[in-house]
Amino acid sequence: MPTAQLETPVAVHKILIATDFTEASRKAFKYARALARHFQASITTAHVLRASASDWPKFGADPAYKKLRRETKENLDSLYYQLHQAGFQADRVLLEGDPVEEVLKAAKHHKADLLVLGTHGSRDLERLVLGSTAEEILRKAQCPVLTVGLKVDDPSRNGVLFRKILLATDLSPKSSVAARYAFSLAAGEGARISVCHVLPEGHTKTMDATVIEARFMQAVRDLIPAWESCVAEYVVQCGNTADEILKIAEEKHADLIIVGARPAWAIATHLVPGVAFRVIAGATCPVLTILG
């Protein structure tokens, strides 16, 4: 694996936040602002009015729908002016149609480097606040997705966005992408990264645990050779992947979890979208999901 590629920080130039103006979206909006400031990125705020193509003519003539559309546009304008007055390069867009399709199309059209979403944040979560299927968004988005749940605190106002980052990795070559994001968010902030790997259920940590952890530490050093100064510790656990990641995040007081997910066309592996989704549903901090 070329070291030079891993040493290159991630550049985020354009952020798209999909909002439905709920409390979860309000929290997500604050994180989008904070990340835009960190990366000096622009922000596009989007909202999707759910409607099928066959319904558009009917909705277009309906007074209630016209009122809803007008109020939605006013809400988007309000967020836009907040960003503009705060010095951000900003835009807003009102979309109509299927939320999944429209959000994904908007992210592609605006060439977003990061998609930000608010979620209900409950363990039995099956859908995003937007009404779109979470797994579908995570697997089909062509850029990383930051999800912010209701249990997540607002971002810190002291200028440090993330102090403790948990990077969950399966140590595959493709996981280097997630590692680069962890480094880019930690660099210059004095943040520390805890790197964890969860062995599948059925494995046990016996007397060979020391050997397992030593091999894991070496694998991480091979994966991110130039970033040793950012890594606070290495953690190896066994069991249910999502449950162990959440447990480690709580123990380490993580304020960001970074996980990998395979794209829709790929064969499921260690950090499959279902695992990432369960982590999102149970997390008390934002979760950054990155396709590998």
Side-chain angles (χ1 to χ4, degrees), residues 240-276:
N240 178 277
T241 304
D243 289 344
E244 292 301 323
I245 291 173
L246 290 169
K247 187 185 302 181
I248 295 167
E250 183 176 1
E251 291 173 353
K252 305 304 177 185
H253 304 289
D255 44 27
L256 176 68
I257 301 172
I258 300 180
V259 298
R262 298 301 295 272
W265 46 264
I267 299 175
T269 57
H270 181 51
L271 289 179
V272 296
V275 170

Side-chain angles (χ1 to χ4, degrees), residues 185-215:
L185 287 166
E189 296 278 353
R192 303 291 283 168
I193 303 171
S194 295
V195 186
C196 77
H197 177 66
V198 181
L199 297 169
E201 289 183 287
H203 287 68
T204 56
K205 290 179 68 176
T206 60
M207 65 179 63
D208 297 324
T210 303
V211 175
I212 292 173
E213 291 182 5
R215 289 177 178 174

Side-chain angles (χ1 to χ4, degrees), residues 35-48:
L35 285 164
R37 198 173 297 282
H38 176 88
F39 287 108
Q40 296 185 323
S42 65
I43 307 178
T44 297
T45 307
H47 177 80
V48 182

Side-chain angles (χ1 to χ4, degrees), residues 1-2 26 28 36 68 79 87 93 106 116 130-131 134 138 163 199 229 255:
M1 187 182 311
R26 183 194 66 80
L68 174 62
L79 295 177
V93 58
V116 180
L130 297 169
L138 294 176
R163 290 184 178 276
L199 297 169
S229 61
D255 44 27

Side-chain angles (χ1 to χ4, degrees), residues 51-57 97:
S52 65
S54 60
D55 288 332
W56 289 341

Side-chain angles (χ1 to χ4, degrees), residues 49-225:
L49 290 173
R50 180 186 289 274
S52 65
S54 60
D55 288 332
W56 289 341
K58 177 180 64 179
F59 285 158
D62 182 55
Y65 185 76
K66 286 182 178 180
K67 181 175 182 292
L68 174 62
R69 199 177 193 283
R70 183 177 63 254
E71 292 174 347
T72 301
K73 186 178 182 303
E74 290 173 355
N75 286 331
L76 282 173
D77 288 344
S78 175
L79 295 177
Y80 166 77
Y81 290 122
Q82 286 181 41
L83 293 171
H84 185 70
Q85 291 172 3
F88 292 97
Q89 182 181 347
D91 197 1
R92 71 284 204 199
V93 58
L94 177 58
L95 306 165
E96 295 172 296
D98 176 76
V100 175
E101 293 180 4
E102 294 304 322
V103 168
L104 293 174
K105 283 196 298 186
K108 184 176 181 179
H109 174 75
H110 291 275
K111 299 180 180 179
D113 301 302
L114 178 66
L115 176 59
V116 180
L117 304 169
T119 74
H120 285 295
S122 59
R123 290 303 303 272
D124 61 349
L125 176 65
E126 293 184 354
R127 288 183 173 273
L128 292 176
V129 168
L130 297 169
S132 57
T133 303
E135 185 169 333
E136 191 172 357
I137 288 280
L138 294 176
R139 293 202 302 171
K140 291 185 177 180
Q142 296 181 6
C143 63
V145 180
L146 183 81
T147 48
V148 181
L150 283 171
K151 293 182 287 184
V152 174
D153 292 332
D154 287 347
S156 171
R157 295 184 179 181
N158 62 7
V160 178
L161 184 54
F162 302 117
R163 290 184 178 276
K164 298 179 181 179
I165 298 172
L166 178 63
L167 170 63
T169 177
D170 60 2
L171 300 175
S172 65
K174 290 183 179 295
S175 64
S176 64
V177 179
R180 288 179 61 209
Y181 272 89
F183 171 71
S184 297
L185 287 166
E189 296 278 353
R192 303 291 283 168
I193 303 171
S194 295
V195 186
C196 77
H197 177 66
V198 181
L199 297 169
E201 289 183 287
H203 287 68
T204 56
K205 290 179 68 176
T206 60
M207 65 179 63
D208 297 324
T210 303
V211 175
I212 292 173
E213 291 182 5
R215 289 177 178 174
F216 172 62
M217 291 170 64
Q218 186 56 53
V220 172
R221 292 189 185 104
D222 292 341
L223 187 68
I224 46 177

Side-chain angles (χ1 to χ4, degrees), residues 266-289:
I267 299 175
T269 57
H270 181 51
L271 289 179
V272 296
V275 170
F277 180 58
R278 289 194 294 275
V279 170
I280 290 167
T284 56
C285 64
V287 178
L288 181 63
T289 305

